Amino acid sequence: MNSTAVLQPAWDVLQHALHPSFISSPAFIFTAVVLGVYLPGILFSIVDVLVSRRLSLAECWAVYWRAMRGYSAAYVLGMIVLLALPLRLSIPETAPTLAEFLTDLLLYFLLGDVASYLWHRLEHAYGPYARKVHYVHHRDKPPLSIWTAMVVHPIEGISVFFCFHLYGMLFSIHPFTFAVAAFALTTVTMITHCGYRLPVYDWFFASAMAHNLHHSQREPVNVSVVLSICDRLFGTYRQPG
């Protein structure tokens, strides 16, 4: 069987559904990031309001608007700017092989985790930056809402964006893989703030319960919002109760 056959149908669907000028634009990847914010955000908001009932619709909207009133406008502006840029990515006709896809996806997550972990440690270590920028995010205390992930100072929002997506920006990567990885990693960083135990999910990714501890104290523990590898390697992991 052709090594691209597994992913080729999905890549063909994207190429038929979207205009080539859009797929070749950085706006294509940016769209994946925005979907990684809104799809889990809407899903967990529904859970908050209709399933667990820990928030009323008005309370959920208030949290969303506090987090996203600036970023929602920034997304629209960013999309317009990226579409206007002359920069275009090459669009291969064939999909990546499954091995290439999985390797790049793994490395995307690993580099994103390491870069964002180290940056997050620096954010806590440098007092003036922590007080004026990073502690905007720490105003939210447990129980967290998934939109807490977006309660960040614009300086931090830009800096962590580059940390998360460093692999895709530094290395040659198929645009299909880039979009899937950008969406998946963004989704994970959102879910880390959702406030729920997710038994199987929590085996693989930084858990919301562990990150609750990070927001409940100033000591930098459970720093990562992607994986828990760096926390375990550098002694900042604390088992949630």
Side-chain angles (χ1 to χ4, degrees), residues 104-120 159-171 181 185-186 188-189 223-227 230:
D104 281 331
L105 189 63
L106 176 62
L107 293 174
Y108 199 109
F109 266 75
L110 288 175
L111 185 56
D113 184 55
V114 171
S116 60
Y117 174 88
L118 294 175
W119 177 247
H120 199 170
S159 61
V160 297
F161 176 90
F162 282 99
C163 289
F164 289 148
H165 305 292
L166 194 58
Y167 184 80
M169 291 183 282
L170 290 181
F171 299 98
L185 190 143
T186 303
V188 167
T189 65
V223 173
S224 180
V225 294
V226 182
L227 309 170
C230 286

Side-chain angles (χ1 to χ4, degrees), residues 138-151:
H138 278 263
R139 290 173 186 167
D140 280 26
K141 304 297 181 185
L144 303 178
S145 158
I146 193 166
W147 296 110
T148 299
M150 298 304 300
V151 180

